[in-house]
Amino acid sequence: MMTTVDTWQLRAGFARRLSHLYAAEVPAYATLLKVSGEVNADVLRRHGSDAERLGSISRVTAERHGAIRVGTPRELAQLASIFAALGMRPVGFYDLRDAAPAPIPVVSTAFRPTDAAELARNPFRVFVSLLVPEDRRFFSEDLAARLTGFLDSRHLFPPELLLLAERAEREGGLPSEHAERFLELAVAAFALSREPVDLAWYTELEEVSSVAADIGGVTTTHINHLTPRVLDIDELYRRMAAGGIEMIGSIQGPPRWDGPDILLRQTSFRALAEPRRFLNADGTVREGALRVRFGEVEARGVAPTPAGLSCYNRLLALADAESAHAPGGNRQQVLREVWREHLPDTERGLIERDLAYFTFRVSADRPRRAKPPRTLLGLLDGGWITAEPIVYEDFLPRSAAGIFASNLGGRGSTVPGGDSAPRDRAWMEQAISRPIQDPAALYAAQRAASLVRVARDLDLGEVELPG
Ligand code: OOG
Ligand code: NI
């Protein structure tokens, strides 16, 4: 009998192979993995099971996100099919075209497992960006026409890969020898190509945006970075810097502080230039180098509610304003003070103000005789139930823009007032003929399901949320 490789096994296999490929292509990534592993082991030793409050050590050790950039809706739809074969669905919509510190001519989504059990098996996620040649703030009509022509004529994925992807999605996995072939082709599609790069074309696009050149200047795509998860990102930053890797700027996102970690904190470093061959206008080929890929690492916290997310954005703006008054000051220090002043420093505080998502379950040592209250806080404070944070599984537009910007060569150029070509989640759903889920709705559904179980176990009608 033929054995079937299930969807989640395909996903885990893909993530593992892509990681091997990237480590072979970008040696600094291999260093990053080694240091991340050491930091995680140290945190686990120091804090024991507390260190696993936001994910088991086996999940965190295997956890990666990647980034891939494509040029057309057709390419994005093909990627969506490959990721569907791996049990990864599009979640969230990000428009980076008016992002600070530098606008990027892309709109993005993230492909990831959406189910808690699937996330626990393997949480691999990929941030995928789609170029917007129709945006006149970046591309003139003439350049856009040539760019679209170039993109329409290339084929990023071989037909065999796309057929296997369709089958894997339909059947929830693949027979083992097909699985092997599928993974081989899928990983190869994201390797850095040895094809010569047309220098004049690449340079013309680079003058507009180096992301545009990275996407539309070549006939292939590639994995742009792969990011491990670490339990203490400040310690990782210190060790990488001490090891002679030049880390960029600082850690993006929330500060380190005494309260619960929310959202995600990320930092990155520029990878070395990689050898590439260039095609000159006279038809000759020469050896050169391109610096398009980088290393990144992240620490994840609890998922915010919509109220928590707008609170986060407000606090960042507040910190920006304070930093503007005292330029040259310590940003982390400023953030820490803002956090202390405005955010509750306990999980209970986050629950009370409905700023973050948790799941709840009835505690083993709950009171036996009394009648349970109906409110969430009453149940929590009375020892009836316990709360567990839901990990943030998504991305942050502002950090993403910062990551893009800090790793780009030139600043590029934009024409203010040009037609921006409206793009939103509905547009992207149509472009790929698949629904794109809302991150907050996924977290809210997880919380709601846990409360239904609590209500059933305690024989309550319904549990009342705060607020
Ligand atoms: C994606 C940048 C976004 C993150 O971690 O926020 C990202 C890219 O460089 O293509 O990966
Ligand atoms: Ni990233």
Side-chain angles (χ1 to χ4, degrees), residues 116 303-307 350-361 376 387-390 439-455 463-467:
T305 59
L350 291 176
I351 294 167
E352 183 174 14
R353 285 177 49 194
D354 196 27
L355 294 175
Y357 287 111
F358 293 77
T359 56
F360 302 91
R361 76 164 120 214
L376 184 65
E388 271 169 63
I390 300 180
L442 291 171
Y443 301 126
Q446 232 180 301
R447 174 174 70 183
S450 79
L451 288 175
V452 167
R453 284 190 296 273
V454 163
V463 178
E464 284 166 36
L465 290 172

Side-chain angles (χ1 to χ4, degrees), residues 65-67 127 225 227 266 294 296 298 395 403:
H65 85 247
F127 191 85
H225 64 272
T227 300
Q266 302 177 300
F294 58 94
E296 182 193 42
E298 66 190 9
F395 291 82
I403 299 284

Side-chain angles (χ1 to χ4, degrees), residues 37 40 61 85 94 135 152 154 199 201 253 266 275 326 335 419:
N40 288 346
T61 304
Y94 308 84
D135 193 321
D152 283 343
R154 73 179 185 183
L199 191 56
W201 176 233
Q266 302 177 300
L335 281 170
D419 181 358

Side-chain angles (χ1 to χ4, degrees), residues 65-69 96 104 106 108 126-129 211 214-215 224-225 227 264 266 292 294 296-298 300 394-405 407-408:
H65 85 247
I68 291 169
R69 305 161 177 178
L96 298 175
I104 322 280
V106 298
S108 314
V126 179
F127 191 85
V128 173
S129 300
V211 171
D214 185 41
I215 297 172
N224 168 268
H225 64 272
T227 300
L264 76 160
Q266 302 177 300
V292 293
F294 58 94
E296 182 193 42
V297 63
E298 66 190 9
R300 287 189 174 260
D394 294 285
F395 291 82
L396 276 174
R398 172 151 161 174
S399 296
I403 299 284
F404 265 113
N407 288 287
L408 297 180

